[in-house]
Amino acid sequence: EADFAMYSAKQNGKNNVQFFTHELDSQMMRKSQMEQALKKALDEQQFSLHYQPQVNLANSKVIGYEALLRWQSPFGNVPPSEFIPIAEETGLIVPIGEWTLRQACRDSKEFCALGHAAEKISVNVSARQFKDPDFSEKVRAIFEQEQVDPGRFEIEITESVMLDIEQSARIICELKELGLRIAIDDFGAGYSSLNVVKNIEIDTLKIDKSLIDEVLINRRNLFILAAIIEVGKNLDARIVIEGIELEEQAELLQPFGILGQGYLFSRPLPPEKLDAFLNESEYVGASTPAKLLE
Ligand code: C2E
Ligand code: MG
Ligand code: MG
Ligand code: MG
């Protein structure tokens, strides 16, 4: 390939092709370095979870938190958008996903002890984890070992999980039998969103940030958003709008009686900062059901 690039570059009298292969080489290099580092990341305790509050837009109360994985790698902080796809490709997402769920269970006990027992904690799960036929059994074992009630947790999946619809439907049923709730993440971002909700009973629809992004500029987006919210309500699902950044967006959505998540309320925070936020924030309120505080 490099030879070809040299040859073409000489032929053309330009460096374009050569530049392209170099660029590709360094991208591949970074990816393979990252893959090597990712293999050690669990043992070296480089992962942590940050939590982003979910807020009831009608009364500004925090009802739950979404756990988001963070990797402090030898290259610095690598965003999930970069390392999750590599973890999925290599299968490393399976042990990483187990770590994530266990850690979320442990953190949830900490939050309870601090007086911040949320109505729910959401954990993201990749399609790759659903390929494991023992997935729900592993999940059950983690909740049992950690002595945490699965009823307080929600699993966030994307529509890509439905590529293998039979296997997924079975696992989703098993998870629901354990008491877990199911959310469809990034709803409206893909092509087959409606297919997902047709085929499984879901508890929450998380509407993708792209649908709220332009709602203030282009009112057509608001009609689409309102229609999706209507679909969700008819399916008895709760609605969460992702990526609310502006006060105007929150105001516009306030009458819909839905939940929101976004930088406007809070960025994802490490557990100790979440504690401080919940102690001080104007968005926090008494939405914690008493039975969860026992
Ligand atoms: P997601 O599950 O849809 O999570 C929401 C993402 O939007 C998070 O990015 C969050 O930080 C970001 N976000 C929240 N509010 C705003 C906002 O107002 N503006 C903007 N611009 N962004 C906002 P993050 O943490 O970088 O995660 C990206 C994606 O990586 C997640 O999207 C999820 O698909 C994946 N991911 C993160 N943690 C995990 C994990 O533990 N397991 C798996 N399988 N995937 C994960
Ligand atoms: Mg999510
Ligand atoms: Mg999302
Ligand atoms: Mg996502």
Side-chain angles (χ1 to χ4, degrees), residues 117-179:
E119 199 183 311
K120 70 165 177 190
I121 293 186
S122 307
V123 177
N124 293 282
V125 169
S126 290
R128 180 68 172 72
Q129 293 172 266
F130 267 63
K131 290 215 174 109
D132 175 3
D134 296 328
F135 178 67
S136 45
E137 174 48 32
K138 285 180 181 166
V139 169
R140 192 200 57 75
I142 290 171
F143 280 101
E144 189 181 283
Q145 286 155 11
E146 296 302 324
Q147 295 280 294
V148 169
D149 175 10
R152 299 201 29 228
F153 277 69
E154 187 160 81
I155 299 291
E156 295 194 1
I157 56 180
T158 56
E159 60 191 22
S160 61
V161 159
M162 302 311 285
L163 289 178
D164 182 356
I165 196 159
E166 270 162 37
Q167 161 100 336
S168 299
R170 178 179 66 78
I171 293 180
I172 288 168
C173 278
E174 289 169 0
L175 293 175
K176 288 184 76 107
E177 271 164 29
L178 294 176

Short mmCIF file of all heavy atoms in Angstrom, two decimals, residues 117-179:
data_model
loop_
_atom_site.label_atom_id
_atom_site.label_comp_id
_atom_site.label_asym_id
_atom_site.label_seq_id
_atom_site.Cartn_x
_atom_site.Cartn_y
_atom_site.Cartn_z
N ALA A 117 -31.37 8.24 47.15
CA ALA A 117 -31.91 7.05 46.48
C ALA A 117 -32.79 7.51 45.33
O ALA A 117 -33.85 8.06 45.54
CB ALA A 117 -32.72 6.24 47.47
N ALA A 118 -32.33 7.32 44.13
CA ALA A 118 -33.12 7.76 42.97
C ALA A 118 -34.20 6.75 42.69
O ALA A 118 -34.13 5.59 43.10
CB ALA A 118 -32.22 7.90 41.76
N GLU A 119 -35.23 7.22 41.99
CA GLU A 119 -36.28 6.32 41.56
C GLU A 119 -35.71 5.26 40.61
O GLU A 119 -36.15 4.12 40.60
CB GLU A 119 -37.34 7.15 40.85
CG GLU A 119 -38.66 6.50 40.72
CD GLU A 119 -39.62 7.39 39.95
OE1 GLU A 119 -39.71 8.60 40.28
OE2 GLU A 119 -40.24 6.89 39.01
N LYS A 120 -34.73 5.66 39.80
CA LYS A 120 -34.07 4.66 38.95
C LYS A 120 -32.67 5.08 38.58
O LYS A 120 -32.33 6.26 38.56
CB LYS A 120 -34.88 4.43 37.67
CG LYS A 120 -34.84 5.61 36.75
CD LYS A 120 -35.34 5.24 35.35
CE LYS A 120 -35.35 6.49 34.49
NZ LYS A 120 -35.99 6.35 33.23
N ILE A 121 -31.86 4.07 38.28
CA ILE A 121 -30.53 4.29 37.73
C ILE A 121 -30.49 3.58 36.38
O ILE A 121 -30.93 2.44 36.26
CB ILE A 121 -29.44 3.76 38.68
CG1 ILE A 121 -29.46 4.62 39.95
CG2 ILE A 121 -28.08 3.78 38.01
CD1 ILE A 121 -28.37 4.35 40.93
N SER A 122 -30.03 4.30 35.36
CA SER A 122 -29.99 3.74 34.01
C SER A 122 -28.58 3.32 33.65
O SER A 122 -27.63 4.04 33.92
CB SER A 122 -30.46 4.78 32.99
OG SER A 122 -31.70 5.31 33.37
N VAL A 123 -28.48 2.15 33.02
CA VAL A 123 -27.19 1.63 32.58
C VAL A 123 -27.28 1.26 31.10
O VAL A 123 -28.24 0.61 30.67
CB VAL A 123 -26.79 0.37 33.41
CG1 VAL A 123 -25.49 -0.22 32.91
CG2 VAL A 123 -26.66 0.73 34.90
N ASN A 124 -26.30 1.71 30.32
CA ASN A 124 -26.28 1.41 28.88
C ASN A 124 -25.74 0.01 28.63
O ASN A 124 -24.75 -0.40 29.26
CB ASN A 124 -25.38 2.41 28.14
CG ASN A 124 -25.96 3.81 28.17
OD1 ASN A 124 -26.89 4.12 27.43
ND2 ASN A 124 -25.43 4.65 29.05
N VAL A 125 -26.37 -0.71 27.73
CA VAL A 125 -25.91 -2.04 27.37
C VAL A 125 -25.81 -2.12 25.84
O VAL A 125 -26.70 -1.65 25.13
CB VAL A 125 -26.89 -3.12 27.91
CG1 VAL A 125 -26.57 -4.48 27.31
CG2 VAL A 125 -26.81 -3.18 29.43
N SER A 126 -24.69 -2.66 25.35
CA SER A 126 -24.45 -2.77 23.91
C SER A 126 -25.13 -3.98 23.31
O SER A 126 -25.34 -4.99 23.99
CB SER A 126 -22.95 -2.93 23.63
OG SER A 126 -22.28 -1.75 23.91
N ALA A 127 -25.42 -3.89 22.03
CA ALA A 127 -26.00 -5.01 21.29
C ALA A 127 -25.14 -6.27 21.44
O ALA A 127 -25.65 -7.37 21.58
CB ALA A 127 -26.14 -4.65 19.82
N ARG A 128 -23.83 -6.07 21.46
CA ARG A 128 -22.89 -7.17 21.57
C ARG A 128 -23.13 -7.99 22.85
O ARG A 128 -22.99 -9.21 22.85
CB ARG A 128 -21.47 -6.59 21.55
CG ARG A 128 -20.34 -7.57 21.66
CD ARG A 128 -20.24 -8.46 20.41
NE ARG A 128 -19.04 -9.27 20.45
CZ ARG A 128 -18.86 -10.30 21.24
NH1 ARG A 128 -19.80 -10.66 22.08
NH2 ARG A 128 -17.75 -10.98 21.21
N GLN A 129 -23.50 -7.32 23.93
CA GLN A 129 -23.75 -8.02 25.19
C GLN A 129 -24.99 -8.90 25.10
O GLN A 129 -25.09 -9.93 25.76
CB GLN A 129 -23.89 -7.02 26.34
CG GLN A 129 -22.61 -6.29 26.66
CD GLN A 129 -22.83 -5.16 27.66
OE1 GLN A 129 -23.03 -4.02 27.27
NE2 GLN A 129 -22.79 -5.47 28.94
N PHE A 130 -25.93 -8.50 24.25
CA PHE A 130 -27.16 -9.28 24.04
C PHE A 130 -26.91 -10.55 23.25
O PHE A 130 -27.76 -11.43 23.20
CB PHE A 130 -28.21 -8.42 23.32
CG PHE A 130 -29.14 -7.71 24.24
CD1 PHE A 130 -28.66 -6.76 25.13
CD2 PHE A 130 -30.49 -7.99 24.25
CE1 PHE A 130 -29.51 -6.11 25.99
CE2 PHE A 130 -31.36 -7.35 25.11
CZ PHE A 130 -30.86 -6.40 25.98
N LYS A 131 -25.75 -10.65 22.61
CA LYS A 131 -25.44 -11.86 21.84
C LYS A 131 -25.08 -13.01 22.76
O LYS A 131 -25.09 -14.17 22.36
CB LYS A 131 -24.27 -11.59 20.88
CG LYS A 131 -24.66 -10.67 19.74
CD LYS A 131 -23.94 -11.06 18.45
CE LYS A 131 -24.43 -10.24 17.28
NZ LYS A 131 -23.43 -9.27 16.83
N ASP A 132 -24.75 -12.69 24.01
CA ASP A 132 -24.41 -13.69 25.00
C ASP A 132 -25.71 -14.32 25.51
O ASP A 132 -26.51 -13.65 26.16
CB ASP A 132 -23.62 -13.01 26.13
CG ASP A 132 -23.33 -13.95 27.28
OD1 ASP A 132 -23.69 -15.15 27.20
OD2 ASP A 132 -22.74 -13.48 28.27
N PRO A 133 -25.94 -15.62 25.24
CA PRO A 133 -27.20 -16.23 25.66
C PRO A 133 -27.38 -16.25 27.18
O PRO A 133 -28.51 -16.35 27.67
CB PRO A 133 -27.14 -17.66 25.09
CG PRO A 133 -25.75 -17.88 24.65
CD PRO A 133 -25.07 -16.55 24.50
N ASP A 134 -26.26 -16.12 27.92
CA ASP A 134 -26.34 -16.13 29.38
C ASP A 134 -26.40 -14.73 29.98
O ASP A 134 -26.22 -14.55 31.19
CB ASP A 134 -25.11 -16.84 29.98
CG ASP A 134 -25.08 -18.30 29.59
OD1 ASP A 134 -26.17 -18.89 29.43
OD2 ASP A 134 -23.98 -18.85 29.42
N PHE A 135 -26.64 -13.74 29.12
CA PHE A 135 -26.57 -12.35 29.60
C PHE A 135 -27.48 -12.11 30.81
O PHE A 135 -27.04 -11.59 31.84
CB PHE A 135 -26.91 -11.38 28.46
CG PHE A 135 -26.90 -9.94 28.90
CD1 PHE A 135 -25.72 -9.33 29.29
CD2 PHE A 135 -28.08 -9.20 28.93
CE1 PHE A 135 -25.70 -8.00 29.70
CE2 PHE A 135 -28.07 -7.88 29.35
CZ PHE A 135 -26.89 -7.27 29.73
N SER A 136 -28.74 -12.51 30.69
CA SER A 136 -29.67 -12.21 31.79
C SER A 136 -29.29 -12.96 33.07
O SER A 136 -29.49 -12.45 34.17
CB SER A 136 -31.12 -12.49 31.39
OG SER A 136 -31.21 -13.72 30.75
N GLU A 137 -28.72 -14.16 32.91
CA GLU A 137 -28.28 -14.91 34.08
C GLU A 137 -27.11 -14.18 34.77
O GLU A 137 -27.07 -14.07 36.00
CB GLU A 137 -27.87 -16.33 33.66
CG GLU A 137 -27.25 -17.21 34.73
CD GLU A 137 -28.03 -17.23 36.05
OE1 GLU A 137 -29.29 -17.12 36.03
OE2 GLU A 137 -27.37 -17.34 37.12
N LYS A 138 -26.21 -13.64 33.97
CA LYS A 138 -25.09 -12.87 34.54
C LYS A 138 -25.60 -11.62 35.26
O LYS A 138 -25.12 -11.28 36.33
CB LYS A 138 -24.12 -12.46 33.43
CG LYS A 138 -23.26 -13.60 32.93
CD LYS A 138 -22.32 -13.12 31.82
CE LYS A 138 -21.47 -14.26 31.30
NZ LYS A 138 -20.83 -13.89 30.01
N VAL A 139 -26.59 -10.97 34.65
CA VAL A 139 -27.17 -9.77 35.26
C VAL A 139 -27.82 -10.14 36.60
O VAL A 139 -27.61 -9.47 37.61
CB VAL A 139 -28.21 -9.14 34.30
CG1 VAL A 139 -29.02 -8.06 35.01
CG2 VAL A 139 -27.50 -8.56 33.08
N ARG A 140 -28.58 -11.23 36.59
CA ARG A 140 -29.24 -11.68 37.83
C ARG A 140 -28.21 -11.92 38.93
O ARG A 140 -28.39 -11.48 40.07
CB ARG A 140 -30.03 -12.97 37.57
CG ARG A 140 -30.98 -13.37 38.69
CD ARG A 140 -31.37 -14.85 38.63
NE ARG A 140 -30.20 -15.74 38.67
CZ ARG A 140 -29.47 -16.01 39.74
NH1 ARG A 140 -29.79 -15.48 40.92
NH2 ARG A 140 -28.42 -16.79 39.67
N ALA A 141 -27.11 -12.60 38.57
CA ALA A 141 -26.07 -12.92 39.55
C ALA A 141 -25.45 -11.65 40.14
O ALA A 141 -25.19 -11.58 41.34
CB ALA A 141 -25.00 -13.80 38.91
N ILE A 142 -25.22 -10.66 39.30
CA ILE A 142 -24.61 -9.41 39.78
C ILE A 142 -25.52 -8.72 40.81
O ILE A 142 -25.06 -8.34 41.89
CB ILE A 142 -24.28 -8.46 38.60
CG1 ILE A 142 -23.11 -9.03 37.79
CG2 ILE A 142 -23.96 -7.04 39.10
CD1 ILE A 142 -22.82 -8.31 36.49
N PHE A 143 -26.82 -8.63 40.49
CA PHE A 143 -27.74 -7.98 41.44
C PHE A 143 -27.83 -8.76 42.74
O PHE A 143 -27.93 -8.19 43.83
CB PHE A 143 -29.13 -7.78 40.82
CG PHE A 143 -29.19 -6.57 39.92
CD1 PHE A 143 -29.12 -6.69 38.54
CD2 PHE A 143 -29.30 -5.30 40.47
CE1 PHE A 143 -29.15 -5.58 37.71
CE2 PHE A 143 -29.34 -4.18 39.65
CZ PHE A 143 -29.27 -4.31 38.27
N GLU A 144 -27.79 -10.10 42.61
CA GLU A 144 -27.87 -10.93 43.82
C GLU A 144 -26.61 -10.76 44.68
O GLU A 144 -26.71 -10.53 45.89
CB GLU A 144 -28.05 -12.40 43.44
CG GLU A 144 -28.37 -13.28 44.62
CD GLU A 144 -28.53 -14.72 44.20
OE1 GLU A 144 -29.59 -15.05 43.64
OE2 GLU A 144 -27.57 -15.50 44.40
N GLN A 145 -25.45 -10.84 44.03
CA GLN A 145 -24.19 -10.69 44.78
C GLN A 145 -24.09 -9.31 45.43
O GLN A 145 -23.61 -9.19 46.55
CB GLN A 145 -22.99 -10.89 43.84
CG GLN A 145 -22.75 -12.34 43.45
CD GLN A 145 -22.01 -12.47 42.13
OE1 GLN A 145 -21.49 -11.49 41.60
NE2 GLN A 145 -21.97 -13.68 41.59
N GLU A 146 -24.55 -8.29 44.72
CA GLU A 146 -24.43 -6.93 45.26
C GLU A 146 -25.60 -6.58 46.19
O GLU A 146 -25.60 -5.50 46.78
CB GLU A 146 -24.34 -5.91 44.12
CG GLU A 146 -23.10 -6.06 43.24
CD GLU A 146 -21.79 -5.95 44.03
OE1 GLU A 146 -21.75 -5.14 44.98
OE2 GLU A 146 -20.83 -6.68 43.72
N GLN A 147 -26.59 -7.49 46.27
CA GLN A 147 -27.74 -7.24 47.15
C GLN A 147 -28.44 -5.93 46.81
O GLN A 147 -28.70 -5.10 47.69
CB GLN A 147 -27.29 -7.22 48.62
CG GLN A 147 -26.77 -8.56 49.10
CD GLN A 147 -27.91 -9.50 49.47
OE1 GLN A 147 -28.64 -9.24 50.42
NE2 GLN A 147 -28.10 -10.56 48.70
N VAL A 148 -28.68 -5.75 45.51
CA VAL A 148 -29.38 -4.55 45.05
C VAL A 148 -30.65 -4.99 44.32
O VAL A 148 -30.65 -6.01 43.62
CB VAL A 148 -28.47 -3.71 44.12
CG1 VAL A 148 -29.24 -2.61 43.43
CG2 VAL A 148 -27.30 -3.12 44.91
N ASP A 149 -31.71 -4.22 44.48
CA ASP A 149 -32.99 -4.53 43.86
C ASP A 149 -32.99 -4.11 42.37
O ASP A 149 -32.86 -2.92 42.08
CB ASP A 149 -34.10 -3.77 44.62
CG ASP A 149 -35.47 -3.92 43.98
OD1 ASP A 149 -35.60 -4.76 43.05
OD2 ASP A 149 -36.39 -3.21 44.41
N PRO A 150 -33.13 -5.08 41.46
CA PRO A 150 -33.13 -4.74 40.02
C PRO A 150 -34.27 -3.79 39.65
O PRO A 150 -34.19 -3.08 38.65
CB PRO A 150 -33.33 -6.08 39.32
CG PRO A 150 -33.05 -7.12 40.34
CD PRO A 150 -33.33 -6.52 41.68
N GLY A 151 -35.32 -3.75 40.49
CA GLY A 151 -36.46 -2.88 40.23
C GLY A 151 -36.09 -1.40 40.20
O GLY A 151 -36.84 -0.57 39.72
N ARG A 152 -34.92 -1.08 40.72
CA ARG A 152 -34.48 0.32 40.72
C ARG A 152 -33.62 0.65 39.51
O ARG A 152 -33.12 1.77 39.39
CB ARG A 152 -33.71 0.62 42.00
CG ARG A 152 -34.57 0.41 43.25
CD ARG A 152 -34.03 1.14 44.44
NE ARG A 152 -33.32 2.33 44.03
CZ ARG A 152 -32.11 2.64 44.50
NH1 ARG A 152 -31.51 1.88 45.34
NH2 ARG A 152 -31.53 3.75 44.09
N PHE A 153 -33.42 -0.35 38.65
CA PHE A 153 -32.53 -0.14 37.51
C PHE A 153 -33.26 -0.22 36.18
O PHE A 153 -34.25 -0.94 36.03
CB PHE A 153 -31.39 -1.16 37.53
CG PHE A 153 -30.26 -0.76 38.43
CD1 PHE A 153 -30.42 -0.73 39.80
CD2 PHE A 153 -29.04 -0.38 37.89
CE1 PHE A 153 -29.39 -0.34 40.63
CE2 PHE A 153 -27.99 0.02 38.72
CZ PHE A 153 -28.16 0.02 40.09
N GLU A 154 -32.73 0.55 35.22
CA GLU A 154 -33.24 0.50 33.86
C GLU A 154 -32.06 0.21 32.93
O GLU A 154 -30.98 0.77 33.10
CB GLU A 154 -33.88 1.85 33.50
CG GLU A 154 -34.58 1.86 32.16
CD GLU A 154 -35.58 3.01 32.05
OE1 GLU A 154 -35.15 4.14 31.77
OE2 GLU A 154 -36.79 2.77 32.26
N ILE A 155 -32.31 -0.67 31.95
CA ILE A 155 -31.28 -0.99 30.96
C ILE A 155 -31.58 -0.19 29.70
O ILE A 155 -32.70 -0.27 29.17
CB ILE A 155 -31.32 -2.51 30.64
CG1 ILE A 155 -31.03 -3.36 31.89
CG2 ILE A 155 -30.36 -2.86 29.51
CD1 ILE A 155 -29.64 -3.28 32.41
N GLU A 156 -30.59 0.56 29.22
CA GLU A 156 -30.78 1.33 27.99
C GLU A 156 -30.17 0.58 26.81
O GLU A 156 -29.00 0.24 26.82
CB GLU A 156 -30.12 2.71 28.10
CG GLU A 156 -30.77 3.58 29.15
CD GLU A 156 -30.35 5.05 29.06
OE1 GLU A 156 -29.56 5.42 28.16
OE2 GLU A 156 -30.83 5.83 29.90
N ILE A 157 -31.01 0.32 25.82
CA ILE A 157 -30.53 -0.36 24.61
C ILE A 157 -30.87 0.50 23.39
O ILE A 157 -31.77 1.34 23.45
CB ILE A 157 -31.16 -1.77 24.45
CG1 ILE A 157 -32.69 -1.67 24.45
CG2 ILE A 157 -30.68 -2.70 25.54
CD1 ILE A 157 -33.38 -3.01 24.29
N THR A 158 -30.14 0.29 22.31
CA THR A 158 -30.47 1.01 21.08
C THR A 158 -31.14 0.03 20.13
O THR A 158 -31.12 -1.18 20.35
CB THR A 158 -29.22 1.60 20.40
OG1 THR A 158 -28.30 0.55 20.17
CG2 THR A 158 -28.57 2.67 21.27
N GLU A 159 -31.69 0.57 19.06
CA GLU A 159 -32.44 -0.31 18.15
C GLU A 159 -31.54 -1.36 17.48
O GLU A 159 -32.06 -2.35 16.98
CB GLU A 159 -33.15 0.53 17.09
CG GLU A 159 -32.19 1.35 16.27
CD GLU A 159 -32.87 2.37 15.40
OE1 GLU A 159 -34.01 2.74 15.70
OE2 GLU A 159 -32.26 2.78 14.42
N SER A 160 -30.22 -1.16 17.50
CA SER A 160 -29.33 -2.15 16.89
C SER A 160 -29.44 -3.50 17.59
O SER A 160 -29.14 -4.55 17.01
CB SER A 160 -27.88 -1.66 16.91
OG SER A 160 -27.46 -1.48 18.24
N VAL A 161 -29.89 -3.48 18.84
CA VAL A 161 -30.12 -4.72 19.58
C VAL A 161 -31.16 -5.60 18.86
O VAL A 161 -31.13 -6.82 18.94
CB VAL A 161 -30.59 -4.39 21.03
CG1 VAL A 161 -31.32 -5.55 21.66
CG2 VAL A 161 -29.40 -4.01 21.88
N MET A 162 -32.06 -4.94 18.13
CA MET A 162 -33.16 -5.67 17.50
C MET A 162 -32.76 -6.36 16.19
O MET A 162 -33.59 -6.98 15.54
CB MET A 162 -34.34 -4.74 17.25
CG MET A 162 -34.85 -4.09 18.52
SD MET A 162 -35.11 -5.25 19.88
CE MET A 162 -36.61 -6.04 19.33
N LEU A 163 -31.49 -6.24 15.79
CA LEU A 163 -31.06 -6.91 14.56
C LEU A 163 -31.31 -8.41 14.65
O LEU A 163 -31.67 -9.06 13.68
CB LEU A 163 -29.58 -6.63 14.27
CG LEU A 163 -29.30 -5.19 13.83
CD1 LEU A 163 -27.81 -4.96 13.63
CD2 LEU A 163 -30.08 -4.84 12.57
N ASP A 164 -31.11 -8.94 15.84
CA ASP A 164 -31.46 -10.34 16.07
C ASP A 164 -32.68 -10.34 16.98
O ASP A 164 -32.58 -10.49 18.20
CB ASP A 164 -30.28 -11.08 16.71
CG ASP A 164 -30.59 -12.56 16.91
OD1 ASP A 164 -31.73 -12.97 16.63
OD2 ASP A 164 -29.69 -13.29 17.35
N ILE A 165 -33.83 -10.19 16.37
CA ILE A 165 -35.03 -9.87 17.13
C ILE A 165 -35.47 -10.98 18.07
O ILE A 165 -35.92 -10.73 19.20
CB ILE A 165 -36.16 -9.40 16.20
CG1 ILE A 165 -37.24 -8.69 17.00
CG2 ILE A 165 -36.74 -10.54 15.38
CD1 ILE A 165 -38.09 -7.79 16.16
N GLU A 166 -35.31 -12.24 17.65
CA GLU A 166 -35.80 -13.33 18.50
C GLU A 166 -34.97 -13.48 19.77
O GLU A 166 -35.51 -13.56 20.87
CB GLU A 166 -35.83 -14.65 17.72
CG GLU A 166 -37.16 -14.83 17.04
CD GLU A 166 -37.14 -15.86 15.92
OE1 GLU A 166 -36.44 -16.87 16.08
OE2 GLU A 166 -37.82 -15.61 14.92
N GLN A 167 -33.66 -13.50 19.58
CA GLN A 167 -32.74 -13.60 20.72
C GLN A 167 -32.96 -12.41 21.66
O GLN A 167 -33.05 -12.56 22.88
CB GLN A 167 -31.30 -13.64 20.20
CG GLN A 167 -30.25 -13.28 21.23
CD GLN A 167 -29.58 -14.52 21.81
OE1 GLN A 167 -30.15 -15.60 21.79
NE2 GLN A 167 -28.40 -14.35 22.33
N SER A 168 -33.06 -11.20 21.07
CA SER A 168 -33.20 -9.99 21.89
C SER A 168 -34.51 -10.00 22.67
O SER A 168 -34.54 -9.66 23.84
CB SER A 168 -33.15 -8.75 21.02
OG SER A 168 -31.91 -8.68 20.37
N ALA A 169 -35.59 -10.40 21.99
CA ALA A 169 -36.90 -10.40 22.64
C ALA A 169 -36.87 -11.35 23.85
O ALA A 169 -37.43 -11.03 24.90
CB ALA A 169 -37.98 -10.81 21.65
N ARG A 170 -36.20 -12.49 23.69
CA ARG A 170 -36.12 -13.44 24.80
C ARG A 170 -35.35 -12.82 25.98
O ARG A 170 -35.81 -12.85 27.12
CB ARG A 170 -35.42 -14.73 24.35
CG ARG A 170 -35.25 -15.75 25.47
CD ARG A 170 -34.58 -17.03 25.02
NE ARG A 170 -33.19 -16.87 24.61
CZ ARG A 170 -32.16 -16.75 25.44
NH1 ARG A 170 -32.35 -16.77 26.75
NH2 ARG A 170 -30.92 -16.61 24.99
N ILE A 171 -34.20 -12.23 25.67
CA ILE A 171 -33.38 -11.64 26.74
C ILE A 171 -34.12 -10.49 27.42
O ILE A 171 -34.11 -10.37 28.64
CB ILE A 171 -32.00 -11.19 26.21
CG1 ILE A 171 -31.21 -12.43 25.81
CG2 ILE A 171 -31.25 -10.38 27.26
CD1 ILE A 171 -29.83 -12.17 25.28
N ILE A 172 -34.80 -9.68 26.61
CA ILE A 172 -35.56 -8.56 27.20
C ILE A 172 -36.63 -9.08 28.16
O ILE A 172 -36.80 -8.56 29.26
CB ILE A 172 -36.15 -7.66 26.09
CG1 ILE A 172 -35.02 -6.86 25.43
CG2 ILE A 172 -37.21 -6.72 26.65
CD1 ILE A 172 -35.39 -6.16 24.16
N CYS A 173 -37.32 -10.14 27.76
CA CYS A 173 -38.33 -10.76 28.64
C CYS A 173 -37.69 -11.22 29.94
O CYS A 173 -38.24 -10.98 31.03
CB CYS A 173 -38.98 -11.96 27.96
SG CYS A 173 -40.28 -11.49 26.85
N GLU A 174 -36.55 -11.87 29.83
CA GLU A 174 -35.86 -12.37 31.03
C GLU A 174 -35.45 -11.22 31.95
O GLU A 174 -35.59 -11.30 33.17
CB GLU A 174 -34.64 -13.21 30.64
CG GLU A 174 -35.02 -14.55 30.01
CD GLU A 174 -33.83 -15.27 29.38
OE1 GLU A 174 -32.70 -14.75 29.43
OE2 GLU A 174 -34.04 -16.37 28.83
N LEU A 175 -34.96 -10.14 31.34
CA LEU A 175 -34.56 -8.97 32.15
C LEU A 175 -35.77 -8.36 32.85
O LEU A 175 -35.70 -7.98 34.02
CB LEU A 175 -33.86 -7.92 31.27
CG LEU A 175 -32.51 -8.31 30.66
CD1 LEU A 175 -32.01 -7.22 29.73
CD2 LEU A 175 -31.47 -8.59 31.76
N LYS A 176 -36.89 -8.31 32.13
CA LYS A 176 -38.10 -7.74 32.72
C LYS A 176 -38.61 -8.62 33.86
O LYS A 176 -39.14 -8.12 34.86
CB LYS A 176 -39.17 -7.52 31.65
CG LYS A 176 -38.81 -6.35 30.73
CD LYS A 176 -39.90 -6.05 29.72
CE LYS A 176 -41.04 -5.33 30.36
NZ LYS A 176 -41.10 -3.91 30.00
N GLU A 177 -38.44 -9.94 33.70
CA GLU A 177 -38.84 -10.85 34.77
C GLU A 177 -38.01 -10.63 36.03
O GLU A 177 -38.49 -10.83 37.15
CB GLU A 177 -38.71 -12.31 34.32
CG GLU A 177 -39.98 -12.83 33.67
CD GLU A 177 -39.76 -14.11 32.89
OE1 GLU A 177 -38.85 -14.89 33.26
OE2 GLU A 177 -40.49 -14.32 31.90
N LEU A 178 -36.77 -10.21 35.85
CA LEU A 178 -35.92 -9.89 37.01
C LEU A 178 -36.36 -8.60 37.69
O LEU A 178 -35.91 -8.28 38.78
CB LEU A 178 -34.45 -9.72 36.58
CG LEU A 178 -33.71 -10.95 36.06
CD1 LEU A 178 -32.31 -10.55 35.59
CD2 LEU A 178 -33.61 -12.02 37.14
N GLY A 179 -37.23 -7.84 37.00
CA GLY A 179 -37.71 -6.58 37.57
C GLY A 179 -37.08 -5.36 36.95
O GLY A 179 -37.39 -4.22 37.31
#
